[in-house]
Amino acid sequence: MSGGVPNRSNRVRRLVRGPRPESVPALVGRACALVGLVDVAAGVFPRFRHSRMHTLAEVLPGSFGPFAAALSLSAGILLLLLAHGLKRSKRRAWRAAVVLLPAGAAAQFVYRHSVVGALISIALLVPLLVHRDQFAALPDPRSRWRALANFVLMGAGSLGLGLVIVSVHPNRLIGDPSLADRLTHVLYGLFGFEGPVDYAGNTSWTVAFSLGALGWLTAVTTIYLALRPEHPAARLTEEDESRLRALLDRHGRRDSLGHFALRRDKAVVFSPSGKAAVTYRVVSGVMLASGDPIGDVEAWPGAIERFMDEARAHSWTPAVMGCSETGGEVWTRETGLDALELGDEAVVDVADFSLAGRAMRNVRQMVKRIERAGYETRVRRVRDLGEAELERIRRAAEDWRGTDTERGFSMALGRVGDPADGDCLIATAHKADEIPGPYGDLKAILHFVPWGPDGVSLDLMRRDRAADPGMNELLIVAALQAAPRFAITRVSLNFAMFRSALARGEKIGAGPVLRAWRGLLVFLSRWFQIESLYKFNAKFQPRWEPRFVVYRASGDLPRIGFAAMQAEGFVDLALPLPRFLRRRTKPARVCAHRPAERDVQAA
């Protein structure tokens, strides 16, 4: 591999480039959204149609009679729905726009005899046809749950917009209908019936046609999404997993996050030679990889190229979370992407670990206190546990989870006790002098995945809420002390985001900007445990290995951050079912997360 690894003082690598020119799909998408917004405004607000904006309104769809107002509203909403897909070069959005725009142009001419209005639609159609080769992106992963989400969102939007439509004709209202009457009128109108609100003149027809158009759009889009073929998210096949395990057997020592590539909710692309691979998940249009590529470093560029080809084919935003310095160097060199330091991974060298010394005083005292309380620890390979005990550990891990949503993606395996993961290490804490609970004398669990033949990486931390504080410290110390028995020389603990900023910001002489940045991180720690994970890891005197996020442009960072929060389980856009309605997870597929949020706080 050519090129050196960036030194420690130059961890943020930025390539010098000029501003990226806006692509044709982006420009067409923006124009589509702008026209859609004006169409909606023209269809809803009568004052807009008769104000000084009338000249502009003249080129919009419809003649602003009852039917034309509904036509304007429908065209505007459809254009807004298509705008995002056009910006992302989606082929299906292009096809829909190519059908909608000529229909809009015909409506302009037939219902308004407006040549200018028809020309506006044609002007937007021309670049779509001329640059049709740029609208070739394949569909995103989807399921029929998208239809339910569309029904909820479109229904809520239709209710809100319908209330506006009902209320923007104050001079035409007969009487003084209450909010309940107006809402009832909207609900009736969405289904094509007359409601309790009356208007003078033909305004009743205008409102009725507009509400009917909203109901029609909600129904048609929902039915379309429900009946179209599913395009499920990719998953690791048995063959993919077998090939990845073979690569990890030969090259797994390089990256502590390598084994997490075996999460079965990830997809994979291999290099042409098959000697390297990149695993990823698509979240909100972001193609999110984690850690370094798997396999031979010399074959990484081929796997990275396949990854970028897949991102371009679907118009996904490429990003990598938590790659190492070497990985960040290869990603930026091969793709032209940028890298930014995200935080540090805590790695403990077993040979250097000891509870002696002033620095380890707090950990030493806590461990001794817990041992005196009657707790004992056991550290074993998964393959050495019986099925009955594994089942208890799986159920405990699920029931002791501190949140309703599973957390973890880049540093979590997503299962415990799978027969294929026999090399994983499990540390458990027990207290036998109490009345046995549903999990016997089990009080806490730590789960580690292999990191090559001589290392392990922390995956899961769970504890009984009724157990004494300090269970995590007890089990980490037990695992480190038992490591030589398993020929383990290094243990990777949790990942601490923005660790260097927190560490430098609390030192004497830190400048005002650094102190302000640290203060913001401490404030955000109330929700995301930035500071608590750093302090927890620091107890064990680790060495810190920097980790990076790789991204295409600075403007993509908010979107990548939001997608990463979704993948890690901090943000869940789906409506969760009550616990008693959730389907019980199969034992071999029980999910996990790496840093147990409440566990760390309790520790």
Side-chain angles (χ1 to χ4, degrees), residues 35 166 219 246 265 478 497 575:
V35 173
V166 169
D265 57 359
M497 290 186 64
L575 296 175

Side-chain angles (χ1 to χ4, degrees), residues 391 394-395 398 401 406 414-416 579 582-592:
E391 178 59 24
R394 292 187 194 110
R395 288 190 291 108
E398 182 176 358
R401 187 176 65 233
E406 291 286 357
R415 58 184 182 267
V416 176
R579 274 185 177 262
R582 296 177 194 171
R583 185 171 56 185
R584 191 72 175 181
T585 309
K586 293 182 180 180
R589 297 284 180 170
V590 172
C591 294

Side-chain angles (χ1 to χ4, degrees), residues 30-300:
R30 292 179 189 277
C32 191
L34 178 61
V35 173
L37 284 173
V38 179
D39 279 357
V40 171
V44 172
F45 299 104
R47 292 183 180 179
F48 178 85
R49 301 195 290 267
H50 301 292
S51 66
R52 295 179 181 177
M53 295 294 292
H54 179 72
T55 303
L56 175 61
E58 282 295 321
V59 301
L60 301 174
S63 59
F64 300 116
F67 179 79
L71 179 62
S72 177
L73 182 63
S74 301
I77 292 176
L78 288 173
L79 287 173
L80 287 173
L81 292 175
L82 293 173
H84 182 65
L86 290 173
K87 289 176 67 175
R88 295 184 57 207
S89 306
K90 292 298 184 181
R91 188 68 175 179
R92 290 181 183 272
W94 177 86
R95 290 171 179 167
V98 167
V99 172
L100 178 64
L101 289 172
Q108 293 277 9
F109 188 77
V110 171
Y111 292 104
R112 296 195 60 224
H113 309 292
S114 172
V115 176
V116 177
L119 290 177
I120 292 293
S121 296
I122 298 301
L124 195 55
L125 178 65
V126 169
L128 284 173
L129 296 176
V130 172
H131 300 281
R132 59 185 177 275
D133 58 324
Q134 295 191 33
F135 297 88
L138 300 175
D140 289 347
R142 60 175 183 250
S143 70
R144 290 194 171 88
W145 286 105
R146 182 81 177 271
L148 178 61
N150 178 83
F151 177 76
V152 172
L153 294 176
M154 284 287 290
S158 296
L159 282 175
L161 193 56
L163 282 174
V164 174
I165 292 172
V166 169
S167 304
V168 293
H169 305 275
N171 298 328
R172 298 281 184 153
L173 275 172
I174 298 176
D176 186 19
S178 64
L179 179 60
D181 290 336
R182 299 182 190 206
L183 183 59
T184 302
H185 193 86
V186 172
L187 289 172
Y188 275 57
L190 293 177
F191 289 94
F193 300 104
E194 280 292 326
V197 180
D198 291 325
Y199 299 88
N202 66 349
T203 302
S204 292
W205 288 103
T206 302
V207 171
F209 272 57
S210 298
L211 293 177
L214 289 175
W216 176 81
L217 283 175
T218 301
V220 169
T221 54
T222 300
I223 292 171
Y224 166 72
L225 293 174
L227 296 181
R228 69 176 179 173
E230 291 188 86
H231 188 72
R235 295 287 187 270
L236 283 186
T237 64
E238 290 185 5
E239 180 184 356
D240 291 338
E241 186 172 336
S242 177
R243 294 176 67 185
L244 286 173
R245 288 185 184 276
L247 293 177
L248 287 170
D249 287 342
R250 292 193 294 271
H251 306 282
R253 195 180 191 280
R254 177 174 295 278
D255 186 14
S256 63
L257 307 188
H259 200 85
F260 298 123
L262 298 176
R263 283 183 65 104
R264 288 166 182 155
D265 57 359
K266 289 183 177 181
V268 61
V269 289
F270 288 92
S271 65
S273 66
K275 295 181 179 180
V278 176
T279 59
Y280 66 91
R281 186 196 296 175
V282 179
V283 184
S284 297
V286 177
M287 190 178 182
L288 200 62
S290 59
D292 292 344
I294 306 300
D296 187 354
V297 176
E298 297 294 334
W300 282 8

Side-chain angles (χ1 to χ4, degrees), residues 287-323:
M287 190 178 182
L288 200 62
S290 59
D292 292 344
I294 306 300
D296 187 354
V297 176
E298 297 294 334
W300 282 8
I304 290 172
E305 183 179 1
R306 288 279 179 89
F307 176 90
M308 297 300 292
D309 288 344
E310 191 79 3
R312 280 189 290 269
H314 293 84
S315 191
W316 291 330
T317 300
V320 185
M321 298 294 296
C323 66

Side-chain angles (χ1 to χ4, degrees), residues 375-456:
Y375 289 90
E376 65 174 31
T377 60
R378 302 169 193 168
V379 182
R380 293 159 291 175
R381 295 283 188 185
V382 166
R383 71 169 77 92
D384 298 327
L385 275 70
E387 185 57 36
E389 186 174 6
L390 269 177
E391 178 59 24
R392 281 199 306 273
I393 290 173
R394 292 187 194 110
R395 288 190 291 108
E398 182 176 358
D399 292 344
W400 290 345
R401 187 176 65 233
T403 59
D404 288 336
T405 304
E406 291 286 357
R407 293 188 175 177
F409 165 68
S410 57
M411 299 181 183
L413 183 60
R415 58 184 182 267
V416 176
D418 191 289
D421 300 320
D423 286 338
C424 290
L425 205 67
I426 288 185
T428 54
H430 306 262
K431 191 174 185 182
D433 60 349
E434 291 186 351
I435 299 174
Y439 315 110
D441 61 354
L442 184 65
K443 298 299 178 184
I445 306 163
L446 258 62
H447 185 258
F448 298 85
V449 299
W451 173 13
D454 60 349
V456 291

Side-chain angles (χ1 to χ4, degrees), residues 358-375:
R358 184 178 181 85
M360 298 298 294
R361 179 182 177 184
N362 290 338
V363 175
R364 181 173 63 249
Q365 290 178 342
M366 180 172 288
V367 170
K368 294 297 183 184
R369 177 179 58 80
I370 296 173
E371 288 176 342
R372 286 195 300 268
Y375 289 90

